[in-house]
Amino acid sequence: SLLSTLASSMSVALENARLFDETQSLLRETKQRNAELAIINSVQAGLASKLDMQAIYDLVGDKIRNLLNAQSVWIITFDPATRTRQVRYSFENEQRYYTSELLSYNKLTEHLISTKKPLVINQNFKEAIARFEMVDIAGTQERVKSIVYIPIMAGEDVKGFISLPNIERENAFSESDVNLLSTFAFAMSIALENIRLFDETRRLLKETEQRAAELAIINSVQEGLSSKLDMQAIYELVGDKIQEIFDAQSLLIVTFDQVNELAQITYNREKGIRYYSEPYPFTGLHRYLIQSRNTVVINENSLEWQTKFGMVLLPGTELPKSMIFVPLTAGYNVSGAISLQNLEREHAFSETDVRLLETLASSMSVALENASLFDETQRLFLEAKEARTAAERADQAKSAFLSSMSHELRTPLNAIINFVEMVARGMIGPVNQEQVELLDQALDSSKHLLNLINDVLDISKIQAGQLTLFIEDQVSVQVEVEAALNIVGGLLQEKSLQLIRDIDPHLPMVSCDRRRLRQVLLNLISNAIKFTNKGTVTVSVKNQGQEVLFAVIDTGPGIPPDKQDLIFEPFIQAENGERQVHGTGLGLPISHSLVRAHGGELWVESQHGEGSAFFFTLPVDRRSTP
């Protein structure tokens, strides 16, 4: 029983001791975690105030070295584009170690990128050197006993690593050390990403402000260009504006004559002085700009490039140290170039300068093209105006000639008609039947010729603007229609055509030229009879209040739609070959002009093979004359 009691007491004592040890261990761990948390908070507080990447590398490196009493600390970053590594922080041999050398990727780099996990080498480091192709940057690799590599992550990408070599002992790094270093690496990666985003935001803001400034400049230039239609004014505007904007002491605008291979300076200002030059032969630079259509930027070794391209200096000007040459393009043609030149320093022009100058050159090219088109339009307009004036003069001369000739022809032709008619009727002496028939044929031909001359005289007067209407009041439409039908009655009987009359019984009295109204009716009815071989000819006259509507409708072959606009043109007949039998093609144009002179309209409705219908209107009250 005593032994049992002693055993029980000992068990309790041992359990108490175990609990005490565990409590002490937990206290130590808690203390350590609190210390680590304080360290992390300290590091994160320091990182939050940094807006420079190198300052972050330095802060984290110094913290790790001081807190862990590290003999050596390395922070290295990766560049996937060039597959190189760069040392951002290094502490070795109790001092900072600096190097700008870029190292190529090795197997260690590939391992960290692929695994995305810490690498702890607590033993046999010399074997790891060969395995991972490690480079001894500071010459201390032989002494390393343990080493740890903590990847620096940005999202899913490994951006580099933190490395702590230990030269005193193996198994130097515990899981706690790895966790603490991983936390440092994570905090650093967040700070680095924040700085990257800050820098990117600042860059974009600066770029936006720069673009806005460029846009304001471009809008200012384009606004000025939109009002310019003179090419030299465009050169002056753009040249002066570029001089205000850019850091350049010399500006040159050149145009190209590719036919004669000559360059002409249209604008040249250097240090405020204008320089002028006669056209000069193309240089190698001009040919390159024309062939490549590319901008040329020379920011250094300008003398070497001038020799290579065969450039020439204008008398009195200086050799530039930086130059931009931007071609002026019009479609696929290079019409010239803008050259911006800095006489004082190399590398004077940035990508922004090049982009802005290219935009201004593009705007200028458009303005020059518009000015060129305007000049060409003006030239063509003047040529067309001169041609129209010459044509009008020629037309007036032709009309005057035709009018004069018609008068000269009608007088003797009327005498011939009268004489033949007198002979045919036996008024001069007896004639036999055969002679009468021949004389009647001559009489018909003479009257037909007289009608043609009258048509030519009418159309000549119309084209010369000399047609005069003799307006009478109270002209009976009924009487004029009946008179026209009586005249064509014989033609209807000859062709055995049926006349259909559709005439209102009570037609108004109108104001018109009686003779011209009858002429229009005769032209339309005669044409209908002439071109209708069988069927009917309908004459319709309707009272429509303020005007009278006339219609002449036949059952002839009709007029194709594509030729209906031609029939009202002088000397043009819309008929096909079978129907071109008589006339000059002037009847319808004369009728059209006479109807319009009365204030009415004449038009046709027809389908090929289905006959034609000619309509015209005549105002009831027409007192003015053209």
Side-chain angles (χ1 to χ4, degrees):
S1 112
L2 179 60
L3 289 173
S4 298
T5 302
L6 290 174
S8 177
S9 298
M10 187 172 68
S11 297
V12 171
L14 290 172
E15 181 63 18
N16 289 338
R18 187 189 65 76
L19 291 173
F20 177 80
D21 290 341
E22 189 172 331
T23 302
Q24 289 294 100
S25 176
L26 289 173
L27 286 173
R28 283 195 301 272
E29 279 189 24
T30 301
K31 187 176 181 179
Q32 185 175 349
R33 291 290 181 272
N34 288 336
E36 290 177 2
L37 185 60
I39 292 168
I40 292 167
N41 289 338
S42 171
V43 171
Q44 288 179 332
L47 291 176
S49 65
K50 303 297 182 183
L51 291 176
D52 174 70
M53 287 191 175
Q54 188 57 49
I56 289 176
Y57 296 130
D58 291 341
L59 174 66
V60 173
D62 289 343
K63 281 287 184 184
I64 291 173
R65 181 168 56 85
N66 293 331
L67 294 172
L68 300 182
N69 195 24
Q71 304 150 345
S72 178
V73 178
W74 293 77
I75 301 177
I76 294 177
T77 59
F78 302 152
D79 183 356
T82 59
R83 292 181 61 80
T84 56
R85 300 171 291 157
Q86 184 174 1
V87 176
R88 299 294 186 175
Y89 180 95
S90 62
F91 183 82
E92 193 79 37
N93 296 326
E94 299 184 354
Q95 63 180 356
R96 286 292 298 273
Y97 179 84
Y98 296 95
T99 177
S100 58
E101 182 182 2
L102 295 178
L103 304 173
S104 300
Y105 277 14
N106 58 3
K107 289 185 178 180
L108 174 65
T109 306
E110 302 289 358
H111 174 81
L112 293 173
I113 290 174
S114 63
T115 63
K116 300 181 175 59
K117 293 179 180 179
L119 174 63
V120 180
I121 303 174
N122 269 329
Q123 295 176 337
N124 303 320
F125 179 67
K126 289 184 180 180
E127 295 179 6
I129 293 174
R131 176 186 170 193
F132 290 114
E133 299 177 347
M134 299 179 189
V135 177
D136 190 0
I137 301 174
T140 59
Q141 211 170 68
E142 288 292 327
R143 294 184 292 151
V144 174
K145 299 288 193 302
S146 305
I147 194 167
V148 61
Y149 299 94
I150 307 296
I152 301 170
M153 302 294 297
E156 294 296 320
D157 298 325
V158 178
K159 296 297 185 180
F161 64 81
I162 299 173
S163 172
L164 270 73
N166 189 296
I167 60 175
E168 294 179 347
R169 58 191 174 90
E170 293 184 340
N171 301 308
F173 298 105
S174 65
E175 184 179 348
S176 177
D177 296 329
V178 173
N179 290 336
L180 180 60
L181 287 172
S182 296
T183 304
F184 282 167
F186 178 72
M188 184 174 73
S189 67
I190 292 176
L192 291 172
E193 183 65 11
N194 289 339
I195 289 179
R196 187 191 68 78
L197 292 174
F198 176 78
D199 289 344
E200 180 69 9
T201 301
R202 189 166 52 180
R203 183 188 67 79
L204 291 174
L205 181 60
K206 183 178 179 181
E207 194 170 288
T208 301
E209 292 173 350
Q210 191 169 357
R211 290 287 190 278
E214 291 175 11
L215 186 60
I217 293 169
I218 292 165
N219 289 339
S220 171
V221 172
Q222 288 179 336
E223 184 178 350
L225 289 175
S226 64
S227 64
K228 303 295 183 185
L229 290 175
D230 174 71
M231 289 193 172
Q232 189 57 43
I234 293 172
Y235 298 131
E236 298 293 331
L237 172 68
V238 174
D240 291 344
K241 183 62 72 172
I242 290 175
Q243 285 271 284
E244 295 174 11
I245 298 169
F246 291 94
D247 177 22
Q249 296 78 41
S250 179
L251 177 70
L252 190 70
I253 301 178
V254 181
T255 57
F256 297 153
D257 176 0
Q258 295 192 34
V259 175
N260 299 305
E261 293 198 333
L262 292 174
Q264 172 67 61
I265 295 175
T266 56
Y267 183 99
N268 186 17
R269 187 186 295 274
E270 184 170 306
K271 292 184 175 180
I273 300 174
R274 291 293 295 268
Y275 289 87
Y276 300 90
S277 171
E278 295 297 321
Y280 58 95
F282 276 180
T283 65
L285 176 64
H286 297 147
R287 292 189 176 88
Y288 175 81
L289 292 172
I290 291 170
Q291 292 170 4
S292 71
R293 299 163 54 85
N294 293 329
T295 297
V296 174
V297 181
I298 300 173
N299 263 330
E300 59 185 12
N301 303 322
S302 64
L303 182 58
E304 177 183 334
W305 283 102
Q306 289 217 27
T307 303
K308 177 180 178 180
F309 279 127
M311 297 185 225
V312 295
L313 279 178
L314 291 178
T317 62
E318 299 180 24
L319 177 68
K321 293 185 178 180
S322 302
M323 295 174 281
I324 305 176
F325 298 90
V326 178
L328 297 171
T329 58
Y332 291 97
N333 183 48
V334 176
S335 61
I338 299 178
S339 174
L340 199 61
Q341 303 175 358
N342 190 296
L343 310 177
E344 299 174 350
R345 59 190 177 90
E346 293 185 337
H347 300 283
F349 301 117
S350 65
E351 292 182 5
T352 300
D353 295 328
V354 174
R355 183 178 62 249
L356 179 55
L357 189 60
E358 287 177 338
T359 304
L360 293 175
S362 176
S363 298
M364 179 176 169
S365 296
V366 172
L368 290 172
E369 183 68 10
N370 290 340
S372 175
L373 291 174
F374 177 79
D375 290 344
E376 181 68 10
T377 302
Q378 287 289 92
R379 183 185 66 79
L380 293 174
F381 175 77
L382 290 175
E383 287 183 0
K385 186 176 179 181
E386 291 174 0
R388 184 171 63 252
T389 301
E392 288 173 353
R393 289 174 181 169
D395 192 57
Q396 289 173 356
K398 177 203 72 174
S399 298
F401 170 76
L402 290 174
S403 178
S404 174
M405 288 302 298
S406 297
H407 278 295
E408 294 298 325
L409 289 172
R410 283 203 304 177
T411 301
L413 187 57
N414 277 321
I416 292 172
I417 290 172
N418 291 333
F419 178 74
V420 172
E421 194 167 18
M422 290 172 62
V423 173
R425 301 297 173 263
M427 298 174 66
I428 305 300
V431 289
N432 59 38
Q433 185 59 35
E434 184 178 357
Q435 291 171 328
V436 169
E437 291 176 359
L438 292 173
L439 289 170
D440 284 343
Q441 290 178 11
L443 187 62
D444 289 342
S445 297
S446 298
K447 288 181 178 179
H448 177 64
L449 181 58
L450 180 61
N451 288 333
L452 296 180
I453 292 172
N454 286 334
D455 284 347
V456 172
L457 179 59
D458 282 343
I459 202 68
S460 299
K461 287 181 179 179
I462 290 168
Q463 291 181 338
Q466 297 175 354
L467 177 67
T468 301
L469 298 179
F470 297 96
I471 301 299
E472 301 179 51
D473 294 335
Q474 300 298 308
V475 174
S476 172
V477 175
Q478 187 81 39
V479 170
E480 297 307 318
V481 172
E482 293 297 337
L485 290 175
N486 289 335
I487 293 172
V488 299
L491 295 175
L492 286 164
Q493 292 178 359
E494 287 179 11
K495 300 194 70 174
S496 300
L497 298 175
Q498 179 185 356
L499 173 65
I500 299 176
R501 302 161 65 97
D502 183 19
I503 302 170
D504 281 354
H506 301 292
L507 292 173
M509 307 296 283
V510 298
S511 297
C512 70
D513 185 325
R514 183 193 308 272
R515 183 172 69 87
R516 295 302 188 181
L517 173 58
R518 188 177 298 183
Q519 182 179 353
V520 172
L521 288 168
L522 286 172
N523 273 333
L524 296 180
I525 299 172
S526 298
N527 279 348
I529 296 170
K530 184 193 307 182
F531 299 124
T532 303
N533 294 324
K534 62 180 181 178
T536 62
V537 173
T538 300
V539 176
S540 173
V541 186
K542 300 294 181 179
N543 181 3
Q544 294 192 329
Q546 297 298 318
E547 64 183 12
V548 179
L549 175 63
F550 299 81
V552 179
I553 307 166
D554 64 53
T555 57
I559 304 169
D562 61 334
K563 294 187 177 180
Q564 290 179 15
D565 290 337
L566 301 176
I567 62 176
F568 297 113
E569 295 294 328
F571 304 104
I572 295 178
Q573 293 174 319
E575 302 82 31
N576 56 30
E578 295 178 354
R579 298 182 65 189
Q580 292 178 350
V581 289
H582 295 294
T584 59
L586 295 176
L588 285 176
I590 291 172
S591 298
H592 188 263
S593 298
L594 291 175
V595 170
R596 298 198 69 176
H598 278 85
E601 290 294 335
L602 189 153
W603 69 95
V604 63
E605 296 178 4
S606 178
Q607 290 292 331
H608 190 54
E610 298 182 8
S612 303
F614 285 86
F615 300 88
F616 74 92
T617 59
L618 186 69
V620 172
D621 187 12
R622 175 67 172 85
R623 297 182 180 276
S624 60
T625 58

